[in-house]
Amino acid sequence: MIVSMISSAVMVTKFSSAMRTILCLVFLRILYPVSALPYPSPQAPNYLPGYPDEWAYTTRQNADTPQQAEAATKVDYKEVMKDIVKVTTQSRDFWPADNGNYGPLFIRLTWHNTGSYRTSDGRGGADGARQRFEPERSWADNTNLDKARALLWPIKQKYGQGLSWGDLFVLAGNAAFESMGGPDFGFCGGRIDADDGSESVQLGPSPEQELLMPCKVEGKCQEPLGANVVGLIYVNPEGHMGIPDPVATARHVREVFARMDMNDSETVALMGGGHSFGGTHGACPAGAGPSPREDPVNPWPGLCGSGKGYDAFTSGFEFAFTTYPTTWDLEYFNNLINFDWQVHLGPGGRFQWKPIGIHAPTAPANDGSYPRRYIGALTSDIALTKDEAYMKLVKLYASDQKLFNRTWSQVWYKLTTRDMGPRTRCSNDDAPPPQWFQYPLPDPPAQLANFEEVKQKLEEVLDDDTGEAIGMFTRLAWQCSSTFRSTDYLGGCNGARIRFSPQKDWAVNINVVSAIDTLEPIKEEFGDNLSWADLIILAGNTALEKAGGKSLKFCGGRTDATDGKGSEHLHPKITGKFSEPLVQLKDSMVQLKDSIAILSLTQREFAALNGAGYAVGDLRDCDGLFCRRNSFQTAVANYERPYSTTSNLSNIFFTTLLSGRWDKYTIPDTGKQMYKARGKDQLMLPTDFLFLLDPELLAIVQDFAADNDLFLSVVASAWTKLSNVDRFKGPTGNVCD
């Protein structure tokens, strides 16, 4: 009776027939809810309460053992792919292969390892192979991928330490595509396996994710999160907010794919290529059962019959994408164009779409028996037909196999390689040449400048200066280097992109042009033999030494970019402007430690460099950490009264921090929030103040306050580390070592 009343109410509205159908189905879902949602419920966080706090701040593992590095040189990736192809057609009883082929399963494994990448902070991707660990292994979108990993274990065992899980996961998808007729663009090897899932904690769901990047409403998650539902790779394929509305879903598909730097043509190609194979599984509404987090002994057993084969439940949808689910062709696009589609509730209780007509095409049953399996589509697939730009691309690819092959192979390589950084990190010589998304740099100068002579010129500038150049040069070098992200190996000073937009326009880089202008005569004197990148780093080194720092080893050979591309998402996370209210200081602490980890520094190294910025940073028109804190006073910035030009690198930051009692203070005129020592004309940034509130950071402060030589030593090592961190030579090597 209730259903009848709802249907009558809907019918009298001015909605289209398709929309009336959707609304009726939504009401049915409300009345008869499915027991196992395909996405985590915000009321029931899917994270492990016992996560250690330090997981959120672990710097990325970026080095193999010597034994692993040696073993990796002996692995032939082509032989690995041959072994994978053999596995694809050897069905196993514990998880029978659909249509006798594990290829589609391996493609999904690769896609869901690599598709977690997001541009906002460089996290995610297959490097690290963290899908083996929490929280990724228990994501709703990764249901039953434990079976795919189990199928690959004999290959991992065969090749041992030389073949990382991360490389194996990507090779599995490549081999599957190639074996079923798909195009191949190439492979970049050298992924390094993580020891745990700590680098995925911020992907969520976890307390750290909820603190740093909360999602108030699942389905409406915003950047810096990648997906709009925590625990999914992209969007809810059933439709935005679980409603099968293709028009609304198309908008969210575009938004979410853009978060991983995919444009429209790449998005349509990825979806079409991935859905050229295989199908979905949702045999009944009962669900997949407990996740590995909930039941590590028997995860995802499947609650429909035997739980496998015909009874499998993975996503809750039930259909094949095409009539030939193990063949590379254009049928996916042609089906979208040639059929009218109708939404319905599948046997798994999910909204899915079927072609209208009595002669709807079918695919072979998963086990080769009868009846045959109907083809279908997800709301996210139908969304491509309801967006004008997407539909143009669907028609374009449907009419041009060569174009689709080329676009697909290129974007698949981008998807699987985006988190690997520059081409110079690939371990194999036959990796494809540098691609635009790797932001390649020109070769270094054939003849390098005499760096001792360059240093002499820099010393002359510093000798003739009143002390201001020390702050200008150290700040320029810091701002140039501190863009580095260990999460996807982008940024750093190699390329000197600080000279271009967007970096030169960032508020934190105000007035760095003054330092560049001061260095211009030296650059002109040495010409093309001296790159701006080398000059900026050497200027910073020379200034630190002039200020009393320890001798710094310089490694030349950097080169200059011709534009600022690749910097769009590299704005420094640590600029001293964290949350001001005391109730938010805990949030700021988490953000600070997270940012330090992304920078590839330890907390001790970062503390030392922050102290150096306090002691010898820029004196005026400054922002960020390499600024004298009193320079933020408006009068000082405008030269309305004498200001100190003393530039002595010492542990003064730490002794000052411990000797004062600090109160919140607002800079007149600018409104900048800082902390001021009681009864003294001494200022600290909110970032500085955090060092007093955290026991680990406080211990570091006390160590440096008690031992100036220790402080100077750590400054030297940390400064050199950050200056050279982007000088890649293979996955783990560095040209400066």
Side-chain angles (χ1 to χ4, degrees):
M1 178 178 178
I2 296 177
V3 175
S4 176
M5 292 172 59
I6 293 172
S7 300
S8 299
V10 172
M11 291 298 291
V12 299
T13 67
K14 296 182 180 180
F15 291 120
S16 67
S17 60
M19 183 56 68
R20 289 198 297 268
T21 301
I22 291 173
L23 289 174
C24 286
L25 289 170
V26 170
F27 284 130
L28 285 172
R29 166 66 67 76
I30 295 172
L31 291 172
Y32 305 107
V34 180
S35 61
L37 289 173
Y39 46 86
S41 167
Q43 284 75 38
N46 189 30
Y47 57 76
L48 203 61
Y51 276 142
D53 288 343
E54 61 269 19
W55 273 26
Y57 321 123
T58 304
T59 54
R60 183 166 192 162
Q61 177 182 335
N62 58 5
D64 284 336
T65 65
Q67 294 81 6
Q68 289 172 318
E70 181 180 357
T73 63
K74 301 176 182 179
V75 174
D76 185 333
Y77 294 129
K78 290 183 172 59
E79 291 300 314
V80 176
M81 289 183 65
K82 291 179 182 178
D83 288 338
I84 294 171
V85 172
K86 292 177 183 177
V87 172
T88 60
T89 55
Q90 297 173 353
S91 185
R92 303 285 299 277
D93 289 340
F94 79 90
W95 192 254
D98 290 350
N99 307 113
N101 196 320
Y102 288 119
L105 177 64
F106 287 165
I107 290 170
R108 178 170 169 254
L109 174 74
T110 305
W111 189 306
H112 287 216
N113 270 278
T114 58
S116 59
Y117 174 81
R118 62 192 189 195
T119 57
S120 59
D121 58 7
R123 285 194 166 90
D127 192 16
R130 294 176 302 277
Q131 192 194 82
R132 298 169 297 150
F133 309 117
E134 298 295 345
E136 287 189 58
R137 74 168 183 160
S138 290
W139 283 358
D141 249 5
N142 290 336
T143 300
N144 288 324
L145 287 180
D146 56 327
K147 283 78 170 178
R149 297 192 295 270
L151 290 166
L152 293 174
W153 164 243
I155 297 176
K156 177 67 173 79
Q157 187 177 31
K158 173 181 177 180
Y159 290 94
Q161 293 187 89
L163 176 63
S164 68
W165 276 108
D167 280 345
L168 180 55
F169 290 159
V170 173
L171 287 168
N174 289 7
F177 269 113
E178 192 172 338
S179 70
M180 294 185 289
D184 174 52
F185 190 80
F187 174 73
C188 168
R191 292 163 186 81
I192 303 167
D193 289 340
D195 294 330
D196 53 45
S198 59
E199 295 172 34
S200 296
V201 168
Q202 288 85 348
L203 299 180
S206 68
E208 290 81 6
Q209 170 258 311
E210 292 179 358
L211 187 64
L212 290 171
M213 48 205 78
C215 178
K216 296 181 179 179
V217 179
E218 292 293 348
K220 297 183 179 180
C221 302
Q222 302 296 314
E223 285 192 284
L225 292 171
N228 65 2
V229 178
V230 176
L232 298 187
I233 301 300
Y234 302 118
V235 298
N236 183 353
E238 194 174 14
H240 179 56
M241 303 301 294
I243 299 173
D245 179 356
V247 175
T249 299
R251 294 194 296 269
H252 289 274
V253 167
R254 177 173 287 110
E255 176 190 342
V256 170
F257 270 75
R259 297 181 194 179
M260 56 179 300
D261 198 27
M262 296 294 176
N263 61 27
D264 282 0
S265 63
E266 293 169 327
T267 299
V268 175
L270 276 176
M271 293 177 65
H275 291 177
S276 291
F277 302 112
T280 60
H281 299 82
C284 77
S291 69
R293 177 186 62 84
E294 297 161 324
D295 184 1
V297 176
N298 187 29
W300 290 314
L303 304 180
C304 307
S306 67
K308 58 186 180 181
Y310 179 82
D311 295 326
F313 187 107
T314 295
S315 62
F317 308 101
E318 181 62 48
F319 57 82
F321 284 108
T322 67
T323 58
Y324 297 96
T326 59
T327 301
W328 177 261
D329 55 28
L330 298 174
E331 183 184 343
Y332 171 83
F333 296 117
N334 284 309
N335 287 345
L336 290 178
I337 296 169
N338 296 332
F339 292 109
D340 292 323
W341 294 84
Q342 183 180 57
V343 66
H344 69 107
L345 280 174
R350 306 286 181 250
F351 292 125
Q352 57 188 54
W353 296 73
K354 61 183 179 182
I356 299 175
I358 59 175
H359 300 296
T362 60
N366 290 340
D367 59 2
S369 64
Y370 289 92
R372 289 171 64 87
R373 199 179 187 203
Y374 284 103
I375 70 164
L378 303 165
T379 301
S380 52
D381 296 315
I382 302 301
L384 300 183
T385 70
K386 303 301 181 182
D387 179 276
E388 183 178 355
Y390 282 159
M391 190 57 174
K392 286 182 179 179
L393 290 163
V394 169
K395 292 178 179 179
L396 181 63
Y397 293 146
S399 64
D400 194 332
Q401 182 78 65
K402 289 184 178 179
L403 172 64
F404 176 54
N405 285 355
R406 182 170 65 252
T407 305
W408 158 261
S409 61
Q410 291 173 343
V411 70
W412 179 257
Y413 183 70
K414 176 183 175 182
L415 174 74
T416 57
T417 313
R418 190 68 168 81
D419 63 330
M420 288 287 286
R423 166 62 176 79
T424 51
R425 293 197 65 255
C426 298
S427 62
N428 50 319
D429 293 335
D430 62 349
Q435 303 297 302
W436 70 265
F437 64 85
Q438 295 170 313
Y439 308 110
L441 291 169
D443 291 333
Q447 179 66 43
L448 296 179
N450 184 321
F451 293 118
E452 286 301 320
E453 293 180 2
V454 177
K455 187 174 182 179
Q456 289 177 7
K457 296 295 182 180
L458 290 167
E459 289 172 341
E460 291 174 7
V461 173
L462 293 168
D463 288 339
D464 293 341
D465 183 70
T466 60
E468 187 174 351
I470 287 179
M472 292 170 56
F473 290 172
T474 54
R475 177 170 173 252
L476 175 62
W478 163 261
Q479 294 301 127
C480 191
S481 297
S482 62
T483 56
F484 179 75
R485 293 198 313 199
S486 64
T487 47
D488 57 0
Y489 307 100
L490 296 182
C493 199
N494 196 11
R497 293 183 173 93
I498 197 170
R499 298 168 298 137
F500 304 111
S501 296
Q503 287 195 36
K504 73 181 183 68
D505 305 317
W506 293 340
V508 74
N509 284 338
I510 183 176
N511 201 38
V512 295
V513 66
S514 296
I516 294 174
D517 290 344
T518 302
L519 294 173
E520 182 73 41
I522 299 177
K523 176 67 175 74
E524 290 181 355
E525 179 176 347
F526 289 90
D528 293 339
N529 293 343
L530 176 63
S531 68
W532 269 108
D534 273 342
L535 178 57
I536 290 171
I537 294 299
L538 187 55
N541 286 11
T542 306
L544 278 179
E545 292 176 353
K546 176 71 174 178
K550 292 184 178 293
S551 178
L552 297 171
K553 182 180 179 181
F554 176 73
C555 174
R558 293 169 185 81
T559 183
D560 291 337
T562 57
D563 55 45
K565 292 179 181 178
S567 300
E568 293 81 2
H569 302 282
L570 301 182
H571 190 286
K573 305 292 184 183
I574 314 174
T575 63
K577 298 178 181 178
F578 287 137
S579 304
E580 304 303 334
L582 287 175
V583 294
Q584 297 181 14
L585 285 175
K586 181 181 178 182
D587 298 14
S588 296
M589 189 71 70
V590 175
Q591 184 181 353
L592 172 64
K593 293 191 174 185
D594 179 65
S595 301
I596 294 172
I598 291 177
L599 199 53
S600 195
L601 294 173
T602 66
Q603 294 177 24
R604 181 172 293 268
E605 290 169 334
F606 175 79
L609 293 178
N610 187 63
Y614 178 95
V616 299
D618 212 345
L619 288 162
R620 63 183 179 90
D621 295 333
C622 190
D623 197 9
L625 303 184
F626 261 71
C627 303
R628 314 288 177 90
R629 303 309 190 247
N630 281 17
S631 71
F632 294 113
Q633 290 281 19
T634 306
V636 173
N638 293 332
Y639 291 99
E640 293 178 8
R641 65 182 182 186
Y643 62 94
S644 171
T645 59
T646 301
S647 297
N648 179 38
L649 181 61
S650 72
N651 61 354
I652 188 174
F653 167 72
F654 305 100
T655 57
T656 301
L657 191 62
L658 292 175
S659 64
R661 298 186 64 184
W662 302 91
D663 298 315
K664 289 179 61 177
Y665 176 72
T666 301
I667 301 293
D669 300 332
T670 67
K672 185 177 182 65
Q673 298 295 306
M674 299 192 71
Y675 285 82
K676 188 174 185 296
R678 292 183 186 177
K680 300 178 182 178
D681 191 20
Q682 295 173 336
L683 298 176
M684 291 286 176
L685 293 168
T687 306
D688 303 328
F689 185 66
L690 291 178
F691 279 83
L692 293 175
L693 306 183
D694 180 79
E696 289 83 11
L697 295 179
L698 178 59
I700 295 169
V701 170
Q702 292 169 337
D703 286 345
F704 288 152
D707 192 333
N708 187 59
D709 190 67
L710 172 65
F711 163 69
L712 295 177
S713 296
V714 178
V715 168
S717 60
W719 181 271
T720 302
K721 173 183 176 179
L722 189 61
S723 299
N724 298 337
V725 70
D726 57 348
R727 308 292 304 283
F728 306 112
K729 184 181 180 182
T732 61
N734 190 294
V735 297
C736 296
D737 290 343

